[in-house]
Amino acid sequence: MLAFFAAIVPIVASLYAGVSFLIDLERQRHVVRVYQRVDAWYKPQRAALGELLMKHDRRLGADRLINELNDRRAMLLKANGVDPVLGTMGHMNTLAAPAAVPLTELRRQWVLLIGSVAGVILLALDASQS
């Protein structure tokens, strides 16, 4: 019976690590897809607004139009479950500083380590009983 648990514990730990990693990757893919959809809408709008600003005086309320366009972009990102701050200069500045390892990655590594150690201990116990 211990041999069964010795085999099952590392397998379950590996499955947990693999599935949680795939969930993280899928989350990242979702963010990329949302940004691609929103940018496909936003960039032509921003380019058209830039051309308008070059032809006319900036005092015609251009800052208000730019702010409205940026607010709508942020609203679209937020509605799709993406933090609108991602990709801004403020976000890029925070990425330049050292950061702690994400808690999910730390948890994943501990589960793998404890699962493999538990498997070895259970195998040793099974061998000593035989």
Side-chain angles (χ1 to χ4, degrees):
M1 187 67 175
L2 284 178
F4 172 75
F5 286 120
I8 262 322
V9 168
I11 290 171
V12 170
S14 297
L15 283 173
Y16 168 78
V19 169
S20 67
F21 184 70
L22 288 176
I23 289 170
D24 285 348
L25 289 180
E26 188 57 39
R27 223 177 271 137
Q28 290 172 358
R29 285 187 56 211
H30 172 72
V31 169
V32 168
R33 285 192 311 265
V34 167
Y35 263 97
Q36 288 172 344
R37 283 194 316 260
V38 170
D39 279 351
W41 170 84
Y42 175 78
K43 285 184 179 181
Q45 298 279 338
R46 184 65 172 98
L49 193 55
E51 290 176 12
L52 181 70
L53 294 178
M54 293 181 87
K55 292 178 184 176
H56 301 293
D57 192 2
R58 288 190 68 91
R59 291 176 290 174
L60 297 174
D63 291 336
R64 180 184 56 80
L65 293 174
I66 290 172
N67 287 339
E68 285 177 4
L69 184 63
N70 290 337
D71 289 344
R72 177 168 283 173
R73 177 182 178 269
M75 187 259 321
L76 287 172
L77 290 172
K78 191 179 265 188
N80 282 285
V82 176
D83 184 8
V85 176
L86 288 177
T88 62
M89 287 305 294
H91 181 252
M92 297 297 176
N93 288 339
T94 60
L95 292 177
V101 176
L103 187 60
T104 55
E105 185 61 33
L106 194 60
R107 184 181 317 120
R108 192 179 297 139
Q109 295 303 318
W110 275 110
V111 166
L112 284 173
L113 181 65
I114 291 171
S116 60
V117 167
V120 168
I121 290 171
L122 289 171
L123 272 177
L125 289 174
D126 185 54
S128 69
Q129 287 181 354
S130 299

